[in-house]
Amino acid sequence: MTQGRLCVLGIETSCDETAVALVDGNGRILAERVASQTVEHAPYGGVVPEIAARAHVQHLDSLIAEVVGEAGVPLSDIDAVAATAGPGLIGGLLVGLSTAKAIAVALAKPLIAVNHLEGHALSARLVAEAPFPFLLLLISGGHCQLQLVTGVGRYRRLGTTIDDAAGEAFDKTAILLGLGYPGGPAIERAARDGDPTAHALPRPMRGRDGADFSFSGLKTAVRHLRERVPDSRVEDVAAGFQAAVIDVLVDRTRNALAMARAEAPALGHLVVAGGVAANQAIGGALADLAAGEGLDLVVPPPRLCTDNGVMIAWAGIERLRLGLTDGLDAPARARWPLDPDATPAPFAGIKA
Amino acid sequence: MPILALDTALDACSAAVLADGEVLAGAYETRPRGHGERIAAMCAEVLEEAGLAPGDLQRICVTVGPGSFTGVRIGLATARGFGVALGRPVVGLSTLTAVAMPLGGGRPLLAAHDARRGQVYVQAFGADGSPSASPVAAAPEAAARLRRPDMALIVGTGAALVAAHLDAGVEVIEARPDARRFVSLAEALPVPAGAPEPLYLRAPDAVPRATG
């Protein structure tokens, strides 16, 4: 069997998307499905774990059947089954992982319990050349961290948020501005018609040592600004907020790069992943940073940056090549840091 | 007809391979949590002990609740995973039927499982083992009122909770579902049109965000 013909089924159920994909060793996506639960959670203003878990178990097996049918590859021909085992909402994780384990037993295939964050990290290698070591900026609704990635399963955390995740800051600010949910695309749209210099907003952590983030003060500053200047244009505030986030991300990433280079001088790539990586203004600023630092920037396309089964299947392929398979007792883990040696950030919950 | 039967809905975990009215292999463990770390291996173990390959299975039988929401989903996800991998039907079994049928012995009875939060999941069964009403979540004293005069038996993990509200003449059997006892049930159940759904009997704990 050549590596290119490896074929792995990927299952993702860690939050509010039920996602399945079949991917081969050349990075070819044979088929994929993503069933979003946005409508189910909308009345509650956020993801309700029990509702999410109920939806996952209702849809997952038929999504698998659809993917297999479309790919035209019998499930018995796959080389392994990979499922997100954490971090995330435990009820959903258990649905995906239990399904994967049953498939592994039924077909006598290896199981790969994938870290969702590793799925994001390695998705860059599915779409581009991104040899190890590389610097990873992971920015999503649940996470904001900088990692030095020296190999599959080998991470050193250089920075993380001490309060809100980047996507969380976008969502909360969008609500303050009456722009609706999800906040990222709404703020980006509004910011296009705004003047980022119209109002002074803080750049939390900028200029400090290290590569940690903080976004809750910025959100509070937006609220105070709206109270102080009620007739401020939403577009201007959105643009000012986005510019502040960008300044912080660039500053922290630059610091992390210096830290990463001290450990890995051969580092040549900056990878940006997670839902917030779809923001064009952020991507542009990071492209400038990468160019100035002589790095190649890799940003997977938006459909690979939001939660999906492709990245889990791909992480499964990368791990399978190294013989990194898991036992049937692999636990689902609500918390699962990429770098187990990193000290947890004090107030960050699973976002660390 | 070889059948894989499994249960993770309450505070135990069990799997069995059944064929033609016999248990070829079975395993049962009391386990308040961690079902997801055990059930798949347990299925593999009973298949090996039965000397069957997974592909020999003709159907999968699983308890669908009522029980712990997480436990119910682990069992269903496992069973439906086998179903989609093998292209075999999955049949669902209520956790109340799962204790009522094997333990009733031709007598009418109440089956009740501990639902926590001061409630039991309860259902009445006739002498032939068929349910005489739909299962409900109710306080133990309300559940006790479902007992008809001809019922001298209560079974299930919530049996004692209900019996505390009844006269002393009622026999109490504290029992959890056990896949090794699903033999006749697993073979007789009709194959549903789609995959079996969870039987939660309770809505999720969530309050819609106030508007305006």
Side-chain angles (χ1 to χ4, degrees):
Chain A
M1 177 172 48
T2 65
Q3 291 203 331
R5 285 167 63 194
L6 280 180
C7 181
V8 169
L9 177 73
I11 296 173
E12 155 63 35
T13 57
S14 68
C15 192
D16 62 344
E17 324 269 7
T18 315
V20 177
L22 263 176
V23 176
D24 75 10
N26 292 328
R28 205 157 56 96
I29 299 163
L30 304 179
E32 70 166 315
R33 287 285 185 283
V34 180
S36 173
Q37 304 168 7
T38 310
V39 174
E40 283 98 320
H41 298 288
Y44 304 94
V47 176
V48 181
E50 176 63 20
I51 291 176
R54 289 184 179 198
H56 287 307
V57 77
Q58 197 176 348
H59 301 302
L60 180 56
D61 59 349
S62 49
L63 289 177
I64 293 171
E66 283 176 29
V67 162
V68 168
E70 184 184 313
V73 176
L75 213 39
S76 53
D77 283 2
I78 65 170
D79 295 285
V81 53
T84 305
L89 300 172
I90 196 75
L93 292 169
L94 280 165
V95 168
L97 189 57
S98 297
T99 302
K101 287 176 179 179
I103 294 171
V105 171
L107 303 175
K109 304 292 183 186
L111 171 78
I112 300 153
V114 172
N115 183 310
H116 179 86
L117 307 179
E118 174 153 76
H120 279 302
L122 299 181
S123 66
R125 292 160 55 84
L126 173 77
V127 296
E129 286 288 311
F132 302 119
F134 60 79
L135 178 64
L136 168 70
L137 171 63
L138 178 60
I139 39 178
S140 70
H143 302 276
C144 188
Q145 44 186 275
L146 282 153
Q147 300 266 357
L148 170 60
V149 187
T150 54
V152 173
R154 299 180 61 171
Y155 298 86
R156 212 169 92 61
R157 198 188 73 196
L158 304 172
T160 187
T161 180
I162 60 169
D163 43 55
D164 289 349
E168 209 175 355
F170 270 91
D171 284 341
K172 289 176 176 175
T173 300
I175 289 169
L176 283 174
L177 297 178
L179 290 172
Y181 177 92
I187 286 188
E188 186 178 4
R189 263 193 311 275
R192 276 187 211 127
D193 302 318
D195 173 6
T197 62
H199 306 285
L201 285 167
R203 268 66 174 158
M205 309 295 276
R206 187 174 64 169
R208 284 212 218 171
D209 284 348
D212 284 339
F213 301 88
S214 165
F215 291 109
S216 76
L218 177 57
K219 170 198 66 193
T220 306
V222 169
R223 192 175 69 236
H224 289 163
L225 169 65
R226 294 289 282 171
E227 285 162 6
R228 207 174 62 242
V229 192
D231 60 347
S232 52
R233 286 180 69 232
V234 166
E235 292 80 1
D236 290 343
V237 180
F241 165 82
Q242 184 171 275
V245 170
I246 288 172
D247 284 351
V248 170
L249 290 175
V250 168
D251 177 80
R252 305 281 85 194
T253 304
R254 186 180 285 120
N255 277 12
L257 185 58
M259 295 157 78
R261 278 180 164 150
E263 281 186 44
L267 183 132
H269 288 74
L270 170 62
V271 170
V272 186
V276 181
N279 181 297
Q280 301 276 316
I282 291 174
L286 292 168
D288 292 345
L289 171 71
E293 296 283 350
L295 293 176
D296 287 334
L297 177 74
V298 181
V299 186
R303 74 188 177 95
L304 285 182
C305 279
T306 51
D307 290 351
N308 65 88
V310 172
M311 69 179 191
I312 302 307
W314 177 253
I317 284 172
E318 294 245 33
R319 295 188 78 84
L320 184 63
R321 283 175 176 162
L322 299 172
L324 298 171
T325 61
D326 294 274
L328 294 173
D329 59 349
R333 302 165 71 174
R335 258 193 75 92
W336 187 4
L338 278 176
D339 175 1
D341 299 329
T343 31
F347 306 108
I350 64 164
K351 294 153 211 156
Chain B
M1 177 170 72
I3 298 172
L4 175 67
L6 61 116
D7 166 72
T8 58
L10 294 156
D11 49 358
C13 190
S14 62
V17 178
L18 320 167
D20 306 322
E22 281 185 56
V23 179
L24 302 184
Y28 175 95
E29 291 173 9
T30 310
R31 175 172 275 269
R33 61 186 69 82
H35 301 70
E37 291 159 42
R38 188 68 189 102
I39 189 64
M42 211 179 224
C43 291
E45 287 158 19
V46 296
L47 276 164
E48 189 177 352
E49 192 188 329
L52 292 181
D56 296 331
L57 296 170
Q58 294 301 307
R59 64 163 62 176
I60 319 297
C61 174
V62 63
T63 48
V64 296
S68 127
F69 295 166
T70 298
V72 164
R73 282 191 288 266
I74 289 169
L76 261 168
T78 302
R80 288 169 66 159
F82 273 102
V84 73
L86 300 172
R88 297 285 188 253
V90 180
V91 297
L93 177 65
S94 131
T95 54
L96 294 162
T97 303
V99 292
M101 280 289 279
L103 299 172
R107 293 179 286 171
L109 60 87
L110 272 189
H113 289 310
D114 187 354
R116 317 281 165 156
R117 294 191 256 163
Q119 288 192 315
V120 292
Y121 300 119
V122 62
Q123 190 172 24
F125 290 84
D128 63 352
S130 61
S132 41
S134 296
V136 292
E141 51 269 43
R145 287 195 290 274
L146 297 176
R147 178 221 174 192
R148 296 192 311 266
D150 63 339
M151 292 176 178
L153 174 63
I154 305 184
V155 301
T157 63
L161 294 172
V162 178
H165 300 277
L166 293 170
D167 56 77
V170 176
E171 184 187 353
V172 172
I173 303 178
E174 289 266 359
R176 305 178 183 91
D178 179 346
R180 298 170 300 179
R181 310 184 80 153
F182 294 175
V183 179
S184 56
L185 290 164
E187 289 181 350
L189 284 167
V191 174
E197 299 282 337
L199 180 60
Y200 293 116
L201 296 186
R202 272 180 185 158
D205 278 327
V207 182
R209 188 171 53 173
T211 49

